Amino acid sequence: DLDKDISTYLPNLPKYEYKVTTRHLLQHTSGVASTDWLRLLSDLPFDEVWYHSDEVRLTTQYSQLNFKPNTQHVYSNGGYSLLASIVEQVSGMPFGEFLKQRIFNPLGMETALVYSHPNLELANDAIGYRVANGNPVKVSSTTDYSYGSGNLWASLSDMIKWGQNFFSPKVGNAEMLNRITNKYNTLENGDSLFYTYGLYVRKYKGLKIVDHQGGIPGFRNYFILFPDDNLIIIASFNNESVNARGIVYGIADLLLADKIV
């Protein structure tokens, strides 16, 4: 139930001043602090070994909401870590196993996994870089095993299979995908939310897009769907200094030159 208090599923959470729902977490309107900021404020280095339990513990130690739910849209990785824990509580299985059974296997995503433990073997994984003083510097972070907001590993071929599911669903159905790819909610002040269920819905040069970008040290990724034009663009870079959005938009300009405004 997306509109139940998350304490229904995670009873060990602190008692927040306001009701926080699963929908609030999904849309980044919960007020739950983002763990990357909490780690910075707590002087916790980003290159130390870090598990999902550490991520959740840090989130629950900060019992104050940054704002009243549904009054702002502020991105929170901590909120998505809690979502992964809710999936585990409701399904009764580890998050990675749930995704494997419900998404990866049905879509034939053979390489996809949740990197939740150092014992997991990664095949053909890339080394990440950043550019410093004009030179590439290795900056991969492979000691973070938290999940929900990241640490989902997959080849480009498998990401294409995931994207194609929006056009011809094997997982879910057309009604569910329609909810994901259309704005449906507003903030308390009436402002429209561009974030639905983990994806942004907006316009690019007159065309409807559904997209998300992300990154960790050494890497940048971008997924963009043009639902009315039967087009998916997926880009993965092992260089955090790359302008991923600029490159992907440039590709879209070439492929949709006859349709953009």
Side-chain angles (χ1 to χ4, degrees), residues 5-189:
D5 194 307
I6 57 174
S7 62
T8 305
Y9 309 107
L10 303 175
N12 293 327
L13 288 176
K15 187 173 178 58
Y16 294 122
E17 181 181 359
Y18 300 100
K19 174 184 176 182
V20 177
T21 69
T22 305
R23 192 183 305 277
H24 292 146
L25 296 181
L26 279 167
Q27 294 198 293
H28 296 293
T29 60
S30 67
V32 171
S34 190
T35 40
D36 38 3
W37 286 107
L38 291 179
R39 288 178 75 171
L40 284 170
L41 292 170
S42 303
D43 199 26
L44 293 169
F46 284 86
D47 56 356
E48 70 175 16
V49 176
W50 190 258
Y51 290 95
H52 184 68
S53 57
D54 298 315
E55 189 90 347
V56 173
R57 184 178 66 252
L58 182 62
T59 302
T60 56
Q61 285 175 342
Y62 187 75
S63 59
Q64 178 181 335
L65 296 176
N66 286 343
F67 52 85
K68 180 183 176 183
N70 210 46
T71 60
Q72 297 183 50
H73 167 84
V74 179
Y75 207 93
S76 172
N77 286 322
Y80 265 65
S81 296
L82 293 181
L83 283 173
S85 292
I86 290 173
V87 170
E88 292 183 325
Q89 288 296 319
V90 174
S91 69
M93 64 180 76
F95 185 61
E97 182 61 27
F98 178 84
L99 293 187
K100 182 180 178 181
Q101 291 187 22
R102 299 291 292 271
I103 298 176
F104 301 156
N105 285 350
L107 294 183
M109 298 173 66
E110 297 177 358
T111 68
L113 57 84
V114 175
Y115 189 48
S116 59
H117 197 275
N119 291 340
L120 287 171
E121 293 187 8
L122 300 173
N124 303 316
D125 55 314
I127 296 172
Y129 294 87
R130 74 160 57 100
V131 176
N133 299 319
N135 298 308
V137 178
K138 291 182 181 180
V139 70
S140 293
S141 175
T142 56
T143 54
D144 186 338
Y145 308 105
S146 61
Y147 48 84
S149 63
N151 258 332
L152 193 156
W153 294 60
S155 68
L156 187 58
S157 296
D158 278 350
M159 285 303 300
I160 291 171
K161 293 175 183 177
W162 185 80
Q164 287 172 332
N165 191 67
F166 283 88
F167 293 121
S168 181
K170 297 178 182 178
V171 172
N173 53 45
E175 180 186 352
M176 183 194 78
L177 295 174
N178 184 63
R179 293 201 303 270
I180 294 173
T181 57
N182 286 282
K183 293 183 290 183
Y184 75 95
N185 203 3
T186 57
L187 294 175
E188 208 171 80
N189 65 2

